[in-house]
Amino acid sequence: MTAAPTLPVGTWLRVFVRLFAVQGSYNYETMIGNGIAFAAEPAFRLLPGGRDGAAYHAAMARHSRYFNAHPYLAALAVGALVRAELDGEAVERVERFRTACCGPLGAAGDRLVWAGWLPFCSALALLAYGLGASAAGVLVTFVGTYNVAHVALRAWGLRAGYREGLKVAVALGSPVLRTGPLHVARALAVVAGAALPLVLLRVRAAHPMSIGVELGLAALLAMALARWQARTDGWRVGVVLLLLFFIYSVVR
Amino acid sequence: MMEPGTLLMLTALGAIVGLDFVSFPQAMLSRPLVAATLAGAVCGNTAAGLLAGVLLECFALETMPFGASRYPEWGPASVAAGAVAAVPGADLDTTARMLPFAVLAALAGSMIGGQTLVWLRQFNLSVAARYRDELAAGDASAVRSVQWTGLVIDFGRAGAVTAIFVLALVPAREALLGGLNAVSGPLSLAVAGVLAVGVGGSAVWKVVRSVKGYRWYLAAGLAAGSAAAVLL
């Protein structure tokens, strides 16, 4: 494969910033398709004929159709699609790629971000709270830690996608995507294991007398919810129990 | 009564965190920990907002925004919860007694917020359908119109949902303040804390249970947390 043509810095920045709004018109038919065209549009202006050219309009029409992926890893697809269009790849290949990469990009992003990095950062912030951090400290821990990886993942995705073009499957084999979720899940187990009891301890700081009983009850509830997880969501059970307590506290 | 300036700031905060959730920029400002704490700060009681945010964050650990599935929208509901928890001039006991109501209201509100997201997606689809021919012709201005309409409507939706929640819940809090005297603050904190930590614990278990030896990692965390609790 030939080296990727260099994109102007301004074009990179426009595409990168627009990637953060890739889900801006999310709907049940084209999903994030319109967002993909919206994000890639600044780069398509470099196609032969510019904004008035047939290639530009054809690319915009192609990429505003159905597309779905994890929003952060959509950057990988946008980078690859921009490269493919600028390289003048055959339309059939581009269409095949669009169809083929939806599933893997969705699954990889869900595992790495929604089921890994996000709960890990939540647990880390809860740990900071449990250890006595101020409100500002807790927020900076959460928002800062989360977004360092969030922004880096989008930037990496755009660069890797553009570098590899339609051979972006190579990037999907990156250690970050392949083994990252496993390492994050291990870290989540350790951090959450430490955080949750400390949270309860700090919440009850003014009245710590029965904390042992409460920790035991929380552990029992967690085990029961884990056992029933196929039948119901834990938070729905929480709502019902909280509602019962609220009714009791009002009518008593 | 809430001052109009405070209501306006809470509405703006709700609009920002609501937009953040799906549309732009997904920086997780919409998480309860952030939204409720900031709402508490707006209402002059950051500590109460943080407490509500921490409890809600434990619940939110179980609901991650996977794909097109229906999930609760935490941002506007958490802003309202932070505002409800931040009772002006209240002592710790009053805040504690109000917490179960704030958390419960946010949990219910998050489901309502999630439903409004479904309506937003249906609306976005109708906008895209209106531009179908232009989009098929590769008209960039149609792409921009569809995208910007979605963003602006989402911003307005989240602000409106937040304002409605705050306008409904803050007067309800005022009405409840006297009526919750029968239950002590410590008991309210204990119930809310146990439920939140229990739900959060089961959520973590669901995520990590496929990892080989996950029990050991959890145990190591528990040991470290226990040691910290004793030492601090």
Side-chain angles (χ1 to χ4, degrees):
Chain A
M1 192 166 74
T2 56
T6 307
L7 286 183
V9 175
T11 303
W12 270 116
L13 285 175
R14 279 187 207 100
V15 173
F16 184 63
V17 170
R18 288 185 182 204
L19 277 171
F20 287 85
V22 76
Q23 293 197 132
S25 58
Y26 194 104
N27 64 68
Y28 293 120
E29 191 174 294
T30 60
M31 300 293 189
I32 63 170
N34 196 78
I36 294 288
F38 177 74
E41 191 271 337
F44 291 161
R45 295 175 199 169
L46 302 173
L47 286 165
R51 291 190 206 201
D52 298 323
Y56 172 85
H57 290 292
M60 288 299 288
R62 247 191 313 279
H63 298 297
S64 60
R65 289 183 207 141
Y66 169 86
F67 190 83
N68 199 20
H70 187 276
Y72 298 179
L73 290 185
L76 207 56
V78 167
L81 292 169
V82 164
R83 174 73 188 278
E85 294 291 350
L86 294 181
D87 282 353
E89 292 281 359
V91 172
E92 297 74 29
R93 285 200 70 204
V94 175
E95 295 284 12
R96 260 205 312 275
F97 172 82
R98 290 182 95 250
T99 306
C101 73
C102 287
L105 289 182
D110 284 351
R111 280 184 64 218
L112 181 64
V113 182
W114 298 153
W117 189 244
L118 176 55
F120 169 76
C121 291
S122 282
L124 196 65
L126 291 173
L127 180 62
Y129 173 81
L131 291 173
S134 65
V138 172
L139 294 198
V140 169
T141 299
F142 176 68
V143 178
T145 310
Y146 182 82
N147 284 297
V148 164
H150 164 206
V151 175
L153 185 59
R154 290 205 202 239
W156 168 81
L158 185 58
R159 277 174 60 92
Y162 188 71
R163 188 180 60 239
E164 304 296 339
L166 298 188
K167 292 177 181 167
V168 79
V170 176
L172 281 174
S174 148
V176 174
L177 298 181
R178 215 160 21 88
T179 60
L182 177 66
H183 295 308
V184 174
R186 285 176 181 152
L188 168 64
V190 175
V191 172
L196 291 174
L198 285 172
V199 164
L200 193 54
L201 202 61
R202 184 169 171 191
V203 166
R204 300 280 287 114
H207 312 278
M209 297 302 287
S210 57
I211 190 69
V213 174
E214 288 159 29
L215 280 172
L217 286 172
L220 278 176
L221 177 63
M223 284 190 279
L225 292 174
R227 186 171 279 264
W228 297 332
Q229 54 118 7
R231 289 181 216 166
T232 185
D233 293 329
W235 72 282
R236 290 182 199 276
V237 175
V239 168
V240 172
L241 293 175
L242 209 51
L243 183 62
L244 291 175
F245 174 74
F246 178 68
I247 292 169
Y248 165 77
S249 63
V250 172
V251 300
R252 189 175 169 223
Chain B
M1 261 319 268
M2 180 169 278
E3 289 181 14
T6 307
L7 176 63
L8 198 64
M9 285 174 69
L10 289 172
T11 302
L13 176 62
I16 291 166
V17 300
L19 183 72
D20 172 74
F21 185 48
V22 172
S23 297
F24 177 84
Q26 290 203 300
M28 294 305 130
L29 306 176
S30 54
R31 294 296 287 185
L33 196 55
V34 182
T37 305
L38 293 178
V42 167
C43 294
N45 193 342
T46 310
L50 177 63
L51 196 50
V54 162
L55 295 174
L56 284 168
E57 187 68 33
C58 292
F59 282 100
L61 275 172
E62 205 181 34
T63 57
M64 296 301 164
F66 290 107
S69 59
R70 288 190 182 195
Y71 34 75
E73 190 204 21
W74 293 105
S78 299
V79 169
V84 168
V87 183
D91 56 10
L92 180 63
D93 197 62
T94 306
T95 302
R97 281 188 285 115
M98 198 42 66
L99 267 177
F101 173 63
V103 171
L104 186 60
L107 289 167
S110 68
M111 287 188 270
I112 296 168
Q115 180 58 46
T116 66
L117 275 177
V118 173
W119 294 334
L120 173 72
R121 289 167 183 181
Q122 290 166 346
F123 175 80
N124 284 342
L125 181 55
S126 72
V127 174
R130 209 177 309 147
Y131 286 98
R132 199 179 299 273
D133 293 341
E134 290 92 332
L135 292 172
D139 182 346
S141 66
V143 169
R144 274 195 298 274
S145 294
V146 171
Q147 201 71 7
W148 278 106
T149 304
L151 288 164
V152 170
I153 295 295
D154 193 17
F155 186 79
R157 175 203 64 84
V161 168
T162 306
I164 290 168
F165 285 167
V166 172
L167 285 171
L169 294 174
V170 170
R173 174 191 72 189
E174 305 302 325
L176 281 168
L177 268 175
L180 293 177
N181 284 331
V183 176
S184 69
L187 179 61
S188 297
L189 272 181
V191 170
V194 165
L195 288 176
V197 168
V199 171
S202 78
V204 169
W205 178 85
K206 283 180 195 174
V207 172
V208 304
R209 75 197 154 118
S210 59
V211 176
K212 193 177 172 189
Y214 74 92
R215 287 189 178 87
W216 291 107
Y217 292 104
L218 279 172
L222 279 169
S226 304
V230 171
L231 293 172
L232 294 175

